[in-house]
Amino acid sequence: ASLVLRRRGADITASDHHPLAGAFLRHNTDLNRLAPIPFFQASWGGPDPGIGRFDLLIGADVLYEFEHPRLLADFLARHANPTAQFVMTDAGRGHCGRFSARMQEQGYTRVERRIQFGGGWPPGAGGRILTYDRTGPAGGGRFQVETST
């Protein structure tokens, strides 16, 4: 996602908790002849690495462990501006409901767009794109589902 956004001219900051993510990002920006992307090693449950706060945050398939809904929601609480949007893909690993409940507590609304890939391969291929919006500290409460193929 960071490479696509950089290619499109976005001013972005990347973070990941994996110890090799920064090296992978540098390698891939070099391969794609892109300007370096600022990167912070950031454990969701760890100390604040000084990343700052943002209006738009994205994540791709980030809810794959049981504790991730709590950790990610807490991370977003520390790094999202009062008016913010968080967009993520979800492959359906079963942790999204708990995450959405935490985001609703923080005042976010959610729009869910279900994606089903055509052609029948791989079986069950699909997922969701979830967009969480918060218009300020008192917002929240509305969840909506859309389906597309």
Side-chain angles (χ1 to χ4, degrees):
S2 297
L3 297 174
V4 171
L5 290 168
R6 173 60 85 196
R7 171 79 63 208
R8 292 176 168 252
D11 176 17
I12 64 169
T13 299
S15 72
D16 200 303
H17 71 275
H18 192 281
L20 297 175
F24 292 154
L25 181 62
R26 280 189 303 280
H27 179 73
N28 284 309
T29 54
D30 290 347
L31 286 175
N32 286 278
R33 298 187 182 117
L34 297 171
I37 297 172
F39 177 82
F40 287 86
Q41 193 76 34
S43 170
W44 291 344
D48 183 347
I51 294 174
R53 290 189 166 274
F54 298 90
D55 299 323
L56 173 64
L57 301 100
I58 64 168
D61 193 17
V62 291
L63 297 177
Y64 46 88
E65 298 290 341
F66 182 81
E67 69 276 1
H68 284 173
R70 177 184 56 80
L71 293 172
L72 180 56
D74 291 351
F75 180 84
L76 292 169
R78 290 189 304 272
H79 297 291
N81 282 323
T83 298
Q85 184 177 70
F86 175 61
V87 180
M88 75 170 195
T89 60
D90 179 57
R93 299 179 194 276
H95 305 297
C96 190
R98 289 189 337 260
F99 176 73
S100 290
R102 288 186 172 271
M103 294 298 280
Q104 191 171 19
E105 289 170 4
Q106 291 183 31
Y108 285 88
T109 61
R110 181 188 80 191
V111 173
E112 176 180 324
R113 185 170 158 226
R114 295 176 192 243
I115 305 295
Q116 195 66 34
F117 301 110
W121 186 256
R128 303 181 282 188
I129 300 172
L130 298 126
T131 303
Y132 297 87
D133 284 298
R134 183 173 63 192
T135 57
R142 178 182 55 85
F143 282 27
Q144 172 183 329
V145 177
E146 301 171 358
T147 302
S148 63
T149 53

